[in-house]
C-alpha cells in the first residue's frame, strides 16, 4: 500500500527520515514523498514535492550505483549538512567550538578505489555495488574517481579473468602512485605456480607499478611511491592512504597550524607518515603505529629523504597499549589520527599527560566528540574544527581540530 510522508531530517547515512521513523533514500528535508513501507524502509520512493535544494545528479550512474548517497542535493546543502553533523555530535557532549568553513575536494579526484569484479559467462563485470545489494554497477563515467583510475578498471577485469572465481567477487584496490598503478587484490583463487606466473606477466603487460594478491606481492616493476612532504614512501600493499591528495593537504595544513612552533611532536596512529614526514621539516617526530610494515615504510622514507629532522618509529597497538603520561611528557605537541573507533584509551592518558596542544584528525564525528569531552573535562579547550569532505557526495565526514591546555 502506497503511503505519503514528509521528510523531517537526514540521518547520518544520508537517508531522509520521516516520522515513525521511516527511512527514505535519496530524499531531502521538507520533501513530501510516497512509497511502500517495508519494515522501516520506504521503497519505490516517489518525490511528490521536491525541495529547492534538490538538483539533477551530475553522474549518470547515480541511480544504480551505491558509491554516492547525496548527488541529488546541492553542494551548499551537503556542505552545511556535514558541518552540522559535527556540530550536533559536539552539542550532544555539551561542547561548543568555532566551526571553520568546510573544505571539499573537487570532482574526479579520488586517487584510490576498491572495485568489485565478478566473472560472468560473457567475460567480467566491474564497478561498485548497488545500494545494499550484491549487484555490481559499471562506472565508466564515475564523477568521483580520477580519470586514471577509471582507465585502470580494465586491468581489474583482466585480473579477474586470470584468478577470479565464477562463485565469488574480487575486491581490487587501485591506487595511483608516483611509479604508476598500485594494485592489491583480495578474494582471488589461491596462488599456485601457473597463476603466479600469469599474474607476473600481467603486471608487465599492463605496466603496473606493483601487484599484490591476498597480501603477497607478485611483482614490482616500479616502486609505488607516495610523496609525503619532501619524502618518498612506499606503503605496504593496500595500506591506508587519504582518499584524495587535495583532502590530504587540507588535513595536513590544519595539523601544521596546530603544531606550529613545536620542537618535539608525537604522531599517534601515524600510518606510513602522512603527517610525521611533513612535520619533520621543522620538528623531531616520534611516529607510533600498530602495523609494523607501515612504520617500516615510514622509516625507510625518512632515511632516504634529505633535510628532515630526526624521526623515530614504534610499532605499538595504541588501543591495548596507549602511550602513558610519563612517555608523553617529552613532547610539546600531539598529533592523533585514529580509525573510526576513535582513541578512547589513548585520550584518557593524554588527559592526564596535559601536553600544551593536540591536533586531532577524525573520520567519525561521534567518537571524536566523545574523546573531545574527555579532553575538555581534563582542562583543554576545543578552539576550532575544520571539516574536510574528501568523500564527496557521501555521508562520510572527516575533520581536524585544535585542542589547547588551559593555563
Amino acid at each position: 500500500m502506497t503511503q505519503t510522508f514528509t521528510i523531517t531530517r537526514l540521518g547520518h547515512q544520508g537517508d531522509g527520515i520521516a516520522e515513525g521513523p521511516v527511512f527514505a533514500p535519496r530524499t531531502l528535508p521538507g520533501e513530501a514523498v510516497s512509497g511502500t513501507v517495508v519494515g522501516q524502509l520506504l521503497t519505490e520512493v516517489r518525490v511528490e514535492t521536491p525541495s529547492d535544494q534538490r538538483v539533477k545528479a551530475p553522474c549518470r550512474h547515480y541511480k544504480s550505483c551505491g558509491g554516492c548517497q547525496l548527488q541529488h542535493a546541492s553542494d551548499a546543502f551537503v556542505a552545511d549538512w556535514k558541518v552540522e553533523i559535527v556540530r550536533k555530535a559536539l552539542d550532544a557532549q555539551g561542547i561548543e567550538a568555532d566551526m571553520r568553513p568546510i573544505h571539499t575536494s573537487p570532482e574526479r579526484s579520488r586517487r584510490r578505489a576498491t572495485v568489485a569484479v565478478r566473472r560472468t559467462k560473457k567475460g567480467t563485470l566491474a564497478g561498485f555495488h548497488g545500494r545494499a545489494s550484491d549487484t555490481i554497477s559499471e562506472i565508466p563515467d564515475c564523477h568521483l574517481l580520477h580519470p586514471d583510475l577509471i582507465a585502470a578498471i580494465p586491468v581489474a577485469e583482466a585480473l579477474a579473468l586470470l584468478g577470479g572465481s565464477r562463485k565469488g567477487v574480487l575486491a581490487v584496490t587501485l591506487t595511483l602512485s608516483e611509479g604508476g598503478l598500485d594494485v592489491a587484490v583480495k578474494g582471488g583463487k589461491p596462488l599456485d605456480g601457473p597463476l603466479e606466473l600469469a599474474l607476473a606477466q600481467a603486471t608487465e603487460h599492463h605496466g603496473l607499478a606493483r601487484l599484490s594478491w591476498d597480501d603477497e606481492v607478485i611483482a614490482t616493476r616500479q616502486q609505488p611511491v607516495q610523496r609525503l612532504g619532501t619524502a618518498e614512501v612506499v606503503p605496504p600493499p593496500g595500506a591506508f592512504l587519504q582518499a584524495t591528495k587535495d583532502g590530504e593537504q587540507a588535513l595536513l595544513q590544519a595539523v601544521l597550524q596546530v603544531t606550529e612552533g613545536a620542537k618535539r611532536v608525537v604522531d599517534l596512529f601515524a600510518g606510513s607518515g602522512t603527517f610525521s614526514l611533513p612535520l619533520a621539516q621543522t620538528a623531531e617526530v616520534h611516529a607510533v603505529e600498530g602495523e609494523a610494515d607501515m612504520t617500516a615504510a615510514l622509516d625507510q622514507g625518512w632515511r632516504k629523504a634529505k633535510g628532515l629532522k630526526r624521526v623515530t618509529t614504534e610499532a605499538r597497538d595504541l588501543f591495548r597499549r596507549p602511550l602513558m603520561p610519563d612517555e608523553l611528557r617529552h613532547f610539546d605537541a600531539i598529533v592523533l589520527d585514529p580509525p573510526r573507533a576513535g582513541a578512547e584509551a589513548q585520550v584518557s592518558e593524554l588527559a592526564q599527560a596535559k601536553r600544551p596542544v593536540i591536533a586531532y584528525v577524525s573520520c567519525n564525528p561521534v567518537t571524536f566528540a566523545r574523546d573531545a569531552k574527555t579532553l575538555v573535562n581534563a582542562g583543554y579547550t576545543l578552539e576550532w574544527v575544520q571539516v574536510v569532505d574528501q568523500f564527496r557526495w557521501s555521508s562520510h565526514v572527516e575533520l581536524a581540530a585544535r585542542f589547547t591546555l588551559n593555563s
Side-chain angles (χ1 to χ4, degrees):
M1 183 178 68
T2 300
Q3 296 177 263
T4 301
F5 298 89
T6 298
I7 302 301
T8 58
R9 60 190 176 89
L10 290 195
H12 281 193
Q13 300 303 314
D15 287 348
I17 302 177
E19 290 297 325
V22 174
F23 297 89
R26 296 176 179 175
T27 59
L28 295 172
E31 292 186 330
V33 301
S34 62
T36 303
V37 178
V38 178
Q40 290 185 309
L41 180 66
L42 190 67
T43 64
E44 302 173 4
V45 177
R46 178 184 177 88
V47 178
E48 305 292 349
T49 307
S51 164
D52 59 4
Q53 295 299 320
R54 178 171 286 274
V55 298
K56 181 180 178 181
C59 180
R60 64 186 176 95
H61 307 306
Y62 184 53
K63 286 186 178 180
S64 59
C65 175
C68 294
Q69 296 86 49
L70 291 162
Q71 284 197 10
H72 61 285
S74 70
D75 287 348
F77 175 89
V78 175
D80 289 345
W81 177 70
K82 292 198 172 188
V83 171
E84 193 62 20
I85 284 177
V86 179
R87 193 192 311 276
K88 286 181 177 178
L90 290 169
D91 283 347
Q93 300 290 348
I95 300 173
E96 293 185 1
D98 175 36
M99 303 295 293
R100 292 183 165 184
I102 190 171
H103 178 97
T104 301
S105 292
E107 296 183 33
R108 305 181 193 273
S109 62
R110 286 280 295 274
R111 60 178 172 180
R112 182 179 187 180
T114 299
V115 296
V117 193
R118 176 184 286 120
R119 288 184 60 185
T120 66
K121 290 181 179 179
K122 296 182 179 180
T124 59
L125 180 64
F128 292 150
H129 284 291
R131 176 189 168 92
S133 168
D134 290 332
T135 302
I136 297 174
S137 298
E138 294 182 298
I139 49 169
D141 191 35
C142 176
H143 281 235
L144 283 180
L145 306 188
H146 189 284
D148 290 347
L149 279 189
I150 296 292
I153 290 177
V155 174
E157 295 173 328
L159 294 173
L161 288 175
L162 289 175
S165 166
R166 287 279 296 275
K167 297 181 180 180
V169 177
L170 283 187
V172 182
T173 300
L174 307 169
T175 305
L176 302 180
S177 79
E178 300 278 335
L181 189 66
D182 189 11
V183 182
V185 180
K186 294 278 191 179
K189 294 178 180 178
L191 277 175
D192 57 20
L195 177 56
E196 192 163 353
L197 177 60
L199 293 173
Q201 291 172 339
T203 303
E204 189 67 32
H205 175 73
H206 293 287
L208 307 181
R210 178 174 64 183
L211 173 63
S212 64
W213 195 265
D214 285 327
D215 295 326
E216 183 170 337
V217 175
I218 301 299
T220 303
R221 291 180 62 257
Q222 298 285 336
Q223 291 296 332
V225 167
Q226 298 294 337
R227 191 175 297 278
L228 302 176
T230 60
E232 295 185 342
V233 175
V234 180
F240 173 79
L241 188 69
Q242 296 292 345
T244 70
K245 193 68 176 176
D246 171 87
E248 178 181 275
Q249 287 303 307
L251 292 170
L252 174 60
Q253 289 307 309
V255 168
L256 291 175
Q257 184 176 352
V258 173
T259 60
E260 185 177 8
K263 300 302 181 184
R264 296 205 67 204
V265 179
V266 62
D267 184 7
L268 305 172
F269 303 96
S272 295
T274 299
F275 303 123
S276 296
L277 293 166
L279 283 166
Q281 294 180 41
T282 57
E284 291 188 359
V285 180
H286 182 55
V288 187
E289 162 61 41
E291 301 293 332
D293 54 355
M294 296 179 77
T295 59
L298 194 165
D299 182 65
Q300 286 299 308
W302 171 69
R303 291 180 184 279
K304 293 177 181 178
K306 295 180 180 179
L308 298 184
K309 294 187 179 295
R310 186 166 179 254
V311 175
T312 53
T313 59
E314 181 180 357
R316 178 165 171 172
D317 185 341
L318 292 171
F319 293 105
R320 296 182 179 182
R321 293 182 55 236
L323 265 67
M324 305 303 285
D326 63 329
E327 297 173 281
L328 293 164
R329 64 184 174 85
H330 304 291
F331 304 102
D332 47 13
I334 311 292
V335 176
L336 191 65
D337 182 17
R340 291 189 60 79
E344 190 170 17
Q346 183 61 79
V347 166
S348 178
E349 303 305 329
L350 288 172
Q352 297 181 53
K354 299 191 181 300
R355 296 293 79 210
V357 66
I358 299 172
Y360 194 135
V361 177
S362 172
C363 59
N364 185 340
V366 174
T367 57
F368 165 73
R370 177 202 67 200
D371 291 347
K373 179 67 170 178
T374 300
L375 293 172
V376 169
N377 286 345
Y380 283 87
T381 295
L382 174 55
E383 291 195 359
W384 51 256
V385 176
Q386 168 73 69
V387 179
V388 175
D389 184 10
Q390 58 178 326
F391 289 88
R392 194 182 180 109
W393 299 309
S394 82
S395 57
H396 192 75
V397 182
E398 294 186 294
L399 62 90
R402 175 186 173 96
F403 291 88
T404 53
L405 185 64
N406 298 329
S407 55

